[in-house]
Amino acid sequence: MVAEIVLVHLSDLHFGGPADIAQIEEMETLIPRLSPHAVAISGDLTQRARHGEFQRARALVRQLDRLVPTIIVPGNHDVRWWASPFSLRGQAVKYAKYRRYFGPDLTPVLEIPGAVLVGALTAYGVALGSLTPNLNDLAVKGHLPRRETDRIRRMFERAAAGAARIVVLHHNVLRGELSERMGLAHWRSAQRRLAATGAEVILCGHDHQEGAGQIDGRVVVSTCGTPSSRTRGGRASVFNVVRIQSDRVQVEHYRWEAGGRAFHRSDVAAFARVPHQ
């Protein structure tokens, strides 16, 4: 068994106008020094799903992937939902640009020694499953279909005994501290089904504020911030490092200090590791 699994968790890069290039370049320098076993990017690589934005995001992903295995999933900003609202022109139209730059798989699986990371698709744009009575949720909320949690459960059932079981998805599954919003429509059902998959850790973003918590008292949730001008409440940007040991899961927030133009390890949340029975 691997003594410790180290994951760098990034999200909501928003390449385009909001992206903070100084922060992203500092992450490119810092991440190799953290010696992670994998990098996970939980969506919103772009701001407007434009070719130039995808090209810059692809350059970063390729650079990271040469260093360490990297897994990514699309976020709501990466979906050209207006090209096929409610999938009227087919679902493939919405993801055509994303697939052009990152390949056909919207729900990738990454296996590394001691862990399996399963990507889940929650970003569908304007779709029936994501609709709520609040018009402000249109094209912003995500949803997690039962077929996705069924697939995640099957993947975890095949995983090696003792391997850490990790889900990577875009929309926040815990309520944002400042936004007071859940990222997923039908979030109660989504939480129950995620807990039932056997997941030990969930990596998500979307809310633009860092966080760490639990579902069902045992599934650790790492919510990543954004290295962009779109931070929640004007807070400093944060990315997360997740450390998984045999008996604990630790979420470390690396916070941007503008004066020093660097990320520094700040607050840490630690949870007992409770393997799925």
Side-chain angles (χ1 to χ4, degrees):
M1 179 180 293
V2 178
E4 181 180 65
I5 298 161
V6 181
L7 307 174
V8 168
H9 177 200
L10 310 178
S11 197
D12 296 85
L13 304 174
H14 288 288
F15 279 111
D20 190 312
I21 298 303
Q23 294 182 25
I24 291 168
E25 290 177 345
E26 173 62 15
M27 288 193 303
E28 291 173 331
T29 300
L30 177 58
I31 288 172
R33 299 204 297 265
L34 297 172
S35 300
H37 295 95
V39 173
I41 306 178
S42 53
D44 276 3
L45 293 96
T46 68
Q47 175 64 10
R48 301 290 183 194
R50 292 172 175 158
H51 284 293
E53 296 168 357
F54 276 120
Q55 289 161 4
R56 180 61 180 88
R58 176 182 164 90
L60 173 64
V61 171
R62 283 174 58 83
Q63 178 180 338
L64 293 173
D65 203 38
R66 284 191 288 266
L67 169 73
V68 66
T70 301
I71 183 172
I72 64 172
V73 295
N76 55 295
H77 280 258
D78 304 319
V79 178
R80 297 177 66 251
W81 62 266
W82 56 90
S84 185
F86 299 105
S87 297
L88 293 176
R89 296 179 57 208
Q91 181 165 296
V93 175
K94 298 188 291 188
Y95 304 106
K97 279 189 180 179
Y98 180 90
R99 283 175 158 147
R100 173 175 176 176
Y101 292 102
F102 297 113
D105 196 352
L106 302 176
T107 56
V109 177
L110 174 62
E111 295 187 57
I112 60 174
V116 57
L117 293 86
V118 178
L121 181 62
T122 61
Y124 298 88
V126 176
L128 288 175
S130 303
L131 292 181
T132 77
N134 187 348
L135 288 178
N136 290 330
D137 291 339
L138 196 66
V140 176
K141 285 276 187 179
H143 70 281
L144 187 65
R146 187 171 298 275
R147 65 177 180 272
E148 278 292 270
T149 47
D150 287 347
R151 181 184 59 84
I152 294 166
R153 175 180 49 77
R154 291 193 299 270
M155 295 302 304
F156 287 156
E157 287 173 349
R158 301 171 192 164
R165 288 152 167 80
I166 302 155
V167 178
V168 184
L169 52 81
H170 177 61
H171 291 82
N172 54 302
V173 299
L174 296 178
R175 192 176 302 279
E177 179 187 358
L178 294 178
S179 69
E180 299 183 344
R181 286 169 59 84
M182 305 294 293
L184 293 171
H186 317 295
W187 59 269
R188 293 181 180 85
S189 170
Q191 285 187 350
R192 287 195 300 269
R193 288 183 284 111
L194 280 167
T197 65
E200 297 176 72
V201 179
I202 296 171
L203 310 179
C204 59
H206 184 66
D207 191 56
H208 293 191
Q209 182 185 356
E210 76 284 357
Q214 286 181 301
I215 293 173
D216 197 32
R218 59 183 178 82
V219 184
V220 176
V221 179
S222 165
T223 307
C224 191
T226 173
S228 76
S229 62
R230 305 189 70 213
T231 58
R232 183 73 61 183
R235 294 162 59 89
S237 299
V238 173
F239 74 89
N240 295 347
V241 173
V242 179
R243 299 182 184 273
I244 304 173
Q245 300 173 358
S246 61
D247 61 346
R248 65 188 287 167
V249 177
Q250 186 164 292
V251 180
E252 304 172 352
H253 299 312
Y254 277 71
R255 196 172 305 277
W256 177 253
E257 294 183 7
R261 298 181 67 80
F263 284 97
H264 295 284
R265 184 173 179 266
S266 57
D267 34 332
V268 175
F271 307 89
R273 183 179 175 188
V274 185
H276 184 73
Q277 301 298 320

